[in-house]
Amino acid sequence: MIRRVDIITMGCSKNLVDSEHLLYQLKAGGFRTYHNPKRLHGDVAVVNTCGFINDAKEESINMILYLCKARREGKLKRLYVIGCLSERFFRELNKEIPEVDRYFGKFDWQGVLRELHLQYDPSCADKRLITTPSHYAYLKIAEGCDRKCAYCAIPIITGPHKSRPMENIIEEVKALVSQGVKEFQVIAQELTYYGLDLYGKRRLAELVCRISDVPGVEWIRLHYGYPHQFPMDLIPVIKERSNVCHYLDIALQHSSDVVLQRMHRHTTRVYQRDLMLCLREEIPDICLRTTFMVGFPGETDQDFEDLMNFTREIRFDRMGAFSYSEEEGTYAAAHYEDDVPQTVKQERLSRLMQLQQDIAVELCEKKVGQTLRVIIDREEEDYFIGRTQYDSPEVDGEVLIPRQERKLQTGSFYNVKITGTEDFDLIGTTLTDK
């Protein structure tokens, strides 16, 4: 009898939330569930795939092939695939990797449950089995995207932007707080669009205020904003609410007006610069995280140097970057020639990331001597590992506190004096609980 299910999540935190919903339904149905297990448990594996860029797609396909091999060797009874890659390339995957028992679309959790002879329970639609450390969780407030940037296939995969009702989100926050969650990473494909489809106007600032008002919410961190028509009423919320982290993840993609126009980003270099400077002026200690793309069709050496100069001026605290890859079905794939050689893309990416590394190291060193509030995530052999309000889990730096000082509690806050740095991480010593 099949009673154990391994779920392997590829890609972003939005996929992780989807997996957590499926895990809850499976557990409620009597299954023993495991997320990203170090070893397979032999019954069923479900891969929640990513289909955003070539590297992510390749990683998902490699995982599917690895599990197909395990199935051939008798280490697995059934294999199912869901998620973005399966949604977008359903027919191709069925043809190329037929060993998978069944492919499902991104949101077809009910299909997976039916295969396991379970009924979907709509009363549990908003319940999740948290896979992160118990003191923090990702909070997805919307699905899909209306932006239709020229390079991006996400609207093709997920459909148009769909905000969750505010009351629904607040109830989830309260439920998670009752389970011990203190820190919320608020996520969406396009965070700053929140509310426009449901309420006729952007209501992210109001939503963040309402989350902030829930007793027990210690930290709120905002991910995946968009610069065009940025909701300026969000700035005083970040500035004035003590439990809203001075942190904003806002993907800019480029700085050159020519490239931004070809990308269909509906913004300009001047607008983006003014927005970043405004955020820094209003919230001097704000941590700004962004994402840039290099090698977009038509990007010249001058366009790239503009991006380098923009990065030098703004001095982002955190940055992710990737090189352009053509995505089937997008405007760019249909209308632009992928004319920047791969060697040039890689050279530009390396230069940009080296510049950002130098900036990040300098900004880290400036924190030496400061006392910062730190939450402890885990304990390792030599250190307790924590984060400040300026550090999001998985993607940012951490704070290393030598174990010999005293016993620290995972999920608790401490005042930590920063005494040194190690690459992008901080080293500190605890002063008091807070």
Side-chain angles (χ1 to χ4, degrees):
M1 179 181 291
I2 292 175
R3 301 309 299 169
R4 297 174 296 184
V5 180
D6 298 322
I7 293 186
I8 296 101
T9 302
M10 316 297 292
C12 67
S13 54
K14 296 182 288 296
N15 265 14
L16 179 64
V17 172
D18 294 341
S19 291
E20 290 176 343
H21 283 295
L22 180 56
L23 282 163
Y24 188 93
Q25 292 275 345
L26 289 167
K27 188 174 182 181
F31 283 81
R32 299 172 94 179
T33 58
Y34 309 86
H35 185 255
N36 289 346
K38 292 183 179 179
R39 65 174 182 84
L40 296 175
H41 290 83
D43 288 351
V44 177
V46 181
V47 187
N48 190 357
T49 57
C50 180
F52 179 43
I53 58 176
N54 281 341
D55 287 349
K57 288 186 285 189
E58 183 177 347
E59 187 177 10
S60 290
I61 289 170
N62 286 339
M63 176 57 69
I64 295 169
L65 293 174
Y66 164 76
L67 293 171
C68 285
K69 181 174 182 290
R71 195 180 188 287
R72 288 195 301 272
E73 294 172 350
K75 300 175 183 177
L76 197 59
K77 293 177 182 176
R78 296 186 193 173
L79 173 59
Y80 301 126
V81 175
I82 61 172
C84 295
L85 190 71
S86 183
E87 174 79 26
R88 192 170 180 216
F89 298 107
F90 183 87
R91 292 180 181 176
E92 293 89 338
L93 288 169
N94 259 309
K95 180 180 178 181
E96 297 297 328
I97 315 178
E99 294 169 88
V100 171
D101 288 279
R102 191 164 175 186
Y103 293 92
F104 299 91
K106 177 173 172 57
F107 303 111
D108 191 10
W109 309 330
Q110 296 187 41
V112 177
L113 295 173
R114 284 193 300 270
E115 284 289 312
L116 298 174
H117 307 291
L118 287 180
Q119 287 291 325
Y120 178 77
D121 185 351
S123 68
C124 298
D126 296 319
K127 295 182 179 179
R128 298 152 53 191
L129 188 63
I130 299 299
T131 60
T132 52
S134 60
H135 55 277
Y136 73 80
Y138 294 95
L139 182 67
K140 184 158 62 169
I141 65 170
E143 190 61 77
C145 185
D146 285 353
R147 291 296 187 176
K148 294 182 174 58
C149 298
Y151 52 83
C152 185
I154 287 175
I156 302 171
I157 299 169
T158 62
H161 179 96
K162 185 178 181 181
S163 302
R164 292 177 59 197
M166 200 173 298
E167 293 74 17
N168 178 276
I169 295 170
I170 298 304
E171 286 305 310
E172 182 179 6
V173 170
K174 291 177 179 178
L176 290 171
V177 167
S178 72
Q179 298 172 31
V181 175
K182 303 175 181 180
E183 175 185 356
F184 290 85
Q185 324 299 331
V186 181
I187 59 173
Q189 190 57 46
E190 213 288 54
L191 198 71
T192 45
Y193 207 81
Y194 177 79
L196 197 58
D197 56 321
L198 280 184
Y199 309 113
K201 63 178 181 178
R202 299 166 191 269
R203 293 179 66 179
L204 180 61
E206 179 184 348
L207 174 63
V208 174
C209 285
R210 290 189 60 181
I211 297 171
S212 170
D213 286 338
V214 175
V217 174
E218 295 277 356
W219 275 354
I220 301 165
R221 192 175 288 104
L222 304 176
H223 279 278
Y224 319 124
Y226 194 98
H228 178 234
Q229 297 178 332
F230 184 84
M232 300 303 285
D233 59 345
L234 183 63
I235 295 177
V237 175
I238 299 174
K239 181 179 180 179
E240 297 165 9
R241 294 277 176 147
S242 61
N243 58 355
V244 179
C245 295
H246 289 186
Y247 184 106
L248 183 61
D249 188 341
I250 181 166
L252 301 183
Q253 303 300 354
H254 217 281
S255 62
S256 161
D257 283 338
V258 173
V259 176
L260 288 170
Q261 184 176 14
R262 288 172 63 83
M263 286 180 166
H264 297 175
R265 292 287 290 175
H266 308 292
T267 187
T268 66
R269 185 189 206 280
V270 169
Y271 176 87
Q272 293 189 155
R273 177 182 181 274
D274 288 349
L275 177 59
M276 296 301 103
L277 295 181
C278 175
L279 287 163
R280 284 263 167 81
E281 181 178 355
E282 292 293 324
I283 314 167
D285 68 328
I286 192 168
C287 175
L288 293 175
R289 180 178 182 87
T290 195
T291 305
F292 286 131
M293 178 191 295
V294 301
F296 188 74
E299 183 191 57
T300 64
D301 288 342
Q302 182 178 346
D303 293 325
F304 176 70
E305 291 305 324
D306 183 286
L307 179 59
M308 293 285 283
N309 290 332
F310 187 81
T311 302
R312 291 187 186 98
E313 179 182 10
I314 303 301
R315 292 174 62 81
F316 295 94
D317 301 83
R318 316 276 190 250
M319 179 198 293
F322 59 99
S323 59
Y324 170 78
S325 61
E326 187 174 277
E327 296 296 323
E328 180 184 342
T330 62
Y331 183 93
H335 295 87
Y336 301 148
E337 179 187 354
D338 187 2
D339 57 356
V340 180
Q342 187 59 41
T343 54
V344 175
K345 291 178 184 178
Q346 188 56 51
E347 187 268 339
R348 289 176 181 173
L349 182 62
S350 297
R351 285 184 58 198
L352 179 62
M353 292 311 298
Q354 182 60 56
L355 172 60
Q356 177 58 30
Q357 179 176 326
D358 295 341
I359 292 170
V361 168
E362 289 178 18
L363 294 176
C364 266
E365 290 172 348
K366 287 186 176 181
K367 289 185 170 66
V368 174
Q370 296 182 24
T371 297
L372 302 173
R373 190 179 187 222
V374 170
I375 192 168
I376 303 301
D377 279 342
R378 64 189 185 278
E379 181 179 354
E380 294 188 350
E381 185 176 352
D382 298 321
Y383 297 99
F384 293 99
I385 310 296
R387 290 174 293 106
T388 72
Q389 67 168 317
Y390 313 112
D391 306 306
S392 194
E394 306 294 334
V395 295
D396 294 332
E398 297 176 312
V399 181
L400 314 181
I401 304 165
R403 279 190 55 182
Q404 62 264 31
E405 288 191 6
R406 62 176 171 131
K407 177 69 175 178
L408 304 182
Q409 296 297 319
T410 298
S412 294
F413 289 91
Y414 298 88
N415 282 328
V416 175
K417 183 174 182 179
I418 305 304
T419 57
T421 65
E422 186 174 295
D423 296 326
F424 303 110
D425 296 327
L426 303 174
I427 301 172
T429 183
T430 52
L431 300 177
T432 60
D433 301 2
K434 188 172 182 180

